[in-house]
């Protein structure tokens, strides 16, 4: 039983009348807010440890020299960079996936699981560091979903090339 949006209504796919698109909007908004908060968490860590990378920031912390070597600041920066490298492809590929008219239940599950895995990744990387394979599992869950969505979109689009 195909519960997808009828093909003769393609503009409906990216509208609030499509529950899959609404699911995407909700979870993508959460991920973007989380990414923005990562900048603030990094700044908080810099202030807390008085680790400033720019000379003009030294007056804020009353620190005599630029420092780049605080482990906590670097962990936060790596977690933020990891988001930039992985959340953005997830958001773009998931949008293309929603636009390709997938089965609604499958699409909503993939979006929810992928976004939740990225939230978990941040928690176990930046907030409460846990031993591997926790972080790796949360990374590969979203990675696998992005790969699946990419192949699904490719297969859907190949006939129009």
């Amino acid at each position: 039983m195909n519960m997808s949006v009828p093909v003769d209504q393609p503009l409906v796919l990216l509208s609030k009348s499509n529950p899959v698109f609404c699911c995407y909007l909700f979870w993508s908004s959460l991920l973007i807010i989380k990414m923005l908060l990562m900048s603030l968490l990094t700044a908080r860590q810099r202030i807390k440890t008085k680790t400033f990378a720019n000379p003009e920031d030294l007056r804020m912390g009353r620190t005599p020299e630029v420092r780049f070597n605080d482990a906590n600041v670097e962990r936060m920066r790596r977690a933020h960079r990891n988001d930039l490298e992985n959340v953005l492809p997830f958001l773009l590929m998931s949008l293309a996936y929603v636009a390709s008219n997938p089965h609604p239940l499958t699409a909503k599950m993939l979006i929810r699981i992928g976004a939740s895995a990225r939230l978990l990744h941040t928690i176990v990387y930046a907030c409460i560091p846990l031993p591997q394979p926790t972080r790796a599992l949360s990374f590969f869950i979203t990675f696998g979903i992005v790969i699946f969505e990419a192949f699904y979109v490719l297969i859907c689009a190949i006939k129009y090339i």
Side-chain angles (χ1 to χ4, degrees), residues 110-126:
L110 290 174
I111 291 166
R112 288 173 182 150
I113 292 168
S116 296
R118 286 310 307 175
L119 292 171
L120 176 65
H121 186 272
T122 296
I123 292 168
V124 301
Y125 197 169

Side-chain angles (χ1 to χ4, degrees), residues 35-47:
M35 287 177 64
L36 291 171
L37 289 175
M38 290 300 294
S39 295
L40 297 177
L41 288 173
T42 304
R44 187 187 106 204
Q45 199 65 30
R46 283 189 181 284
I47 292 167

Side-chain angles (χ1 to χ4, degrees), residues 46-78:
R46 283 189 181 284
I47 292 167
K48 182 178 166 184
T49 61
K50 297 182 179 183
T51 306
F52 301 104
N54 300 305
E56 63 270 18
D57 299 334
L58 294 177
R59 287 191 321 198
M60 275 181 28
R62 297 190 179 113
T63 306
E65 62 185 19
V66 172
R67 289 181 36 210
F68 298 102
N69 58 354
D70 185 82
N72 294 321
V73 171
E74 290 307 309
R75 175 175 283 277
M76 209 56 76
R77 290 181 70 230
R78 287 190 308 271

